[in-house]
Amino acid sequence: MDFQLTKEQRDIKKAARKFAEGEIRDIAREYDQREEFPMDLWKKACNLGFVGVYIDKAYDGPGLGFFEYALITEEFWRVDPGCGCVLLTAFGTDLLQNFGTEEQKRKFIPPIPKGEGIMGSAITEPDAGSDIFRVKTSATKEGDSYVINGTKMFITNGSIADYLAVYCLTNPEAKSRYERYSFFLVEKDRPGFQAKKLKGKLGIRASDTAEIILNSVKVPQENLIGGKEGQGFPQVMDLFNINRVIAASQGVGVAQGALEQAIAHVKGREAFGQAVGKFQAVQFKLAEMATMVEAVRLLTYQAAWLVDHGEKNPRLIAMAKWLAAETGVRVSDDALQLHGGYGYINEYDIERFYRDSKIVEIYEATKEIEKMTIARHMLGKF
Ligand SMILES: Cc1cc2nc3c(=O)[nH]c(=O)nc-3n(C[C@H](O)[C@H](O)[C@H](O)COP(=O)(O)OP(=O)(O)OC[C@H]3O[C@@H](n4cnc5c(N)ncnc54)[C@H](O)[C@@H]3O)c2cc1C
């Protein structure tokens, strides 16, 4: 067992930190306030190879792993979670890489790491979130095409994506509910495709989120991911497993960033004749925060490392995702408290971190669903 990062991983982490400090810190508040996706930042992040780091060299990616993706995510989110979401523009390329036909991989993956395209994955619907068996967007075969009808909700990159992987019901009569679904690639310029940007999010406001309406959208059979109907359920589980590791690294990053802001503040702020950071109660709080961050970082690294070594361990991934998310929320809350009244004003970044942290407890499965996964793996059928 080796707890050291390799030289290459240390270099990647350092480069990601330098980029985040240099390119994100100064623009973060503005993009949060404007609720706008930072296009220039996304381009720069692609040019430097930060987007889709796990994409194979065969598809024009850097050919690294999910561990490296987690490291970069942590560094971007440490500086700003909202702008850190530029990394999510590759969301779905992992699905294509793992399950797509060779033709689909060659056509749809290469534009993403090069900054020539944006992708997303659309599973959630207005009436189907945690319970994905309620998904009713349908894809019906007509000759050599499929016709898609339905509405997808809360889709990251929805109004800026060039194409989305859309989770559809193809075989409603299949005996096993696990064989009823399929993923399709849907390009934004297909007639009947409509994206409505959602505004007014609590946090990660620089990230694009949209409702997608699919009104008799016709896609060719070649857009059925993997080329075979009924494969959607194992594919979506794989997508969730991998991306929950990344969500965990978001939790680590937001918590680390909040902790550092708290440390800086308590060293400078005085009360009762001394710096606030000299009070033992404050020191104990910081010690607890730092210990939690370190613990979830280890759990997240372990889950990410296992993914790169061929083991997508749903129990461990759910543990990492839940605890890192909760730690992000708790540490941001504690850090805001340590700022006193200044924490409540948007002049200080901690106000934004407090809002941004919450999303990790919700997307890529809520923390309750993560706990269900952990319990199911412990208890089995009884
Ligand atoms: C900013 C943002 C970005 C998103 N991006 C995407 C995206 O790119 N693609 C995508 O497909 N989706 C995306 N989502 C959707 C997200 O994954 C869902 O919101 C999430 O899975 C929860 O589903 P829901 O909102 O329908 O909540 P519900 O499923 O309605 O849950 C409501 C509450 O009930 C609880 N609950 C449900 N079932 C149980 C149970 N069995 N036991 C105990 N508690 C339960 C939940 O934990 C939750 O607290 C995004 C959401 C947001 C807010």
Side-chain angles (χ1 to χ4, degrees):
M1 190 175 273
D2 183 357
F3 284 99
Q4 300 292 324
L5 299 183
T6 64
K7 159 112 182 38
E8 190 185 23
Q9 287 164 345
R10 282 200 305 275
D11 288 346
I12 290 168
K13 196 167 155 62
K14 217 163 121 191
R17 179 167 294 204
K18 193 170 165 216
F19 180 84
E21 289 290 355
E23 302 288 344
I24 298 180
R25 194 168 291 284
D26 289 347
I27 62 167
R29 193 169 308 148
E30 180 192 335
Y31 279 91
D32 171 69
Q33 284 170 359
R34 295 204 329 230
E35 298 193 52
E36 188 183 314
F37 180 82
M39 281 290 173
D40 289 348
L41 178 75
W42 160 67
K43 276 267 179 202
K44 285 182 197 165
C46 290
N47 289 341
L48 289 174
F50 290 124
V51 174
V53 279
Y54 53 81
I55 293 173
D56 285 350
K57 289 189 171 147
Y59 310 112
D60 296 346
L64 296 165
F66 280 89
F67 193 90
E68 286 76 18
Y69 183 16
L71 290 178
I72 295 167
T73 299
E74 184 186 329
E75 290 302 329
F76 278 33
W77 274 59
R78 171 186 163 271
V79 173
D80 183 57
C83 287
C85 289
V86 293
L87 296 171
L88 297 179
T89 50
F91 183 33
T93 49
D94 41 331
L95 178 75
L96 282 176
Q97 194 158 269
N98 290 339
F99 300 101
T101 63
E102 197 49 38
E103 196 191 346
Q104 289 165 349
K105 293 183 198 184
R106 296 213 172 274
K107 182 172 172 191
F108 292 103
I109 300 180
I112 308 297
K114 288 194 283 193
E116 292 167 5
I118 289 178
M119 207 185 153
S121 297
I123 301 118
T124 308
E125 299 186 356
D127 297 318
S130 304
D131 182 1
I132 61 166
F133 289 108
R134 288 174 62 94
V135 163
K136 51 177 193 272
T137 292
S138 61
T140 314
K141 193 137 197 253
E142 280 186 13
D144 286 343
S145 302
Y146 283 87
V147 177
I148 303 179
N149 277 294
T151 302
K152 294 290 178 180
M153 193 50 133
F154 305 133
I155 306 309
T156 300
N157 307 326
S159 70
I160 55 169
D162 295 279
Y163 33 88
L164 297 172
V166 180
Y167 192 67
C168 300
L169 187 60
T170 39
N171 314 73
E173 307 304 328
K175 224 183 197 171
S176 163
R177 60 183 189 160
Y178 301 107
E179 292 169 5
R180 293 181 189 157
Y181 294 93
S182 310
F183 263 112
F184 291 86
L185 282 153
V186 182
E187 298 93 333
K188 67 164 183 203
D189 45 11
R190 296 222 171 248
F193 181 101
Q194 196 194 348
K196 287 188 189 165
K197 183 176 167 79
L198 298 172
K199 286 199 139 195
K201 292 205 299 280
L202 175 72
I204 58 162
R205 288 151 65 103
S207 169
D208 182 82
T209 312
E211 178 181 3
I212 306 292
I213 296 152
L214 301 145
N215 187 4
S216 297
V217 178
K218 205 170 189 177
V219 296
Q221 181 153 4
E222 298 90 81
N223 284 25
L224 168 61
I225 296 183
K228 220 173 133 203
E229 276 183 24
Q231 303 294 305
F233 184 76
Q235 292 173 354
V236 82
M237 285 297 124
D238 192 79
L239 181 81
F240 283 151
N241 268 324
I242 292 175
N243 286 285
R244 281 172 192 169
V245 175
I246 300 310
S249 67
Q250 296 173 347
V252 177
V254 69
Q256 178 66 40
L259 172 65
E260 289 176 26
Q261 289 165 50
I263 291 169
H265 190 79
V266 301
K267 278 178 160 179
R269 179 75 180 166
E270 289 198 1
F272 301 97
Q274 61 178 6
V276 165
K278 296 237 182 217
F279 294 109
Q280 197 177 50
V282 170
Q283 293 177 357
F284 278 17
K285 179 54 74 186
L286 289 171
E288 287 165 19
M289 291 157 75
T291 306
M292 283 308 294
V293 176
E294 213 48 58
V296 290
R297 178 177 286 120
L298 270 184
L299 197 52
T300 302
Y301 283 7
Q302 188 190 0
W305 186 91
L306 283 173
V307 169
D308 285 339
H309 287 79
E311 188 185 334
K312 289 167 196 158
N313 184 321
R315 185 186 69 99
L316 193 74
I317 290 172
M319 287 176 171
K321 201 288 196 166
W322 156 53
L323 201 60
E326 200 162 282
T327 300
V329 170
R330 200 186 308 167
V331 171
S332 303
D333 185 15
D334 288 341
L336 190 151
Q337 190 68 21
L338 289 171
H339 278 71
Y342 292 101
Y344 207 67
I345 304 291
N346 69 2
E347 223 174 278
Y348 282 75
D349 288 343
I350 195 60
E351 175 266 350
R352 200 174 65 253
F353 273 60
Y354 179 77
R355 290 187 284 107
D356 288 344
S357 60
K358 185 64 190 173
I359 189 59
V360 192
E361 288 193 333
I362 295 173
Y363 66 8
E364 295 295 339
T366 63
K367 61 177 172 177
E368 291 76 22
I369 299 300
E370 303 300 359
K371 287 180 196 172
M372 273 168 59
T373 305
I374 299 162
R376 203 176 289 140
H377 277 83
M378 277 190 311
L379 298 170
K381 279 197 176 141
F382 69 102

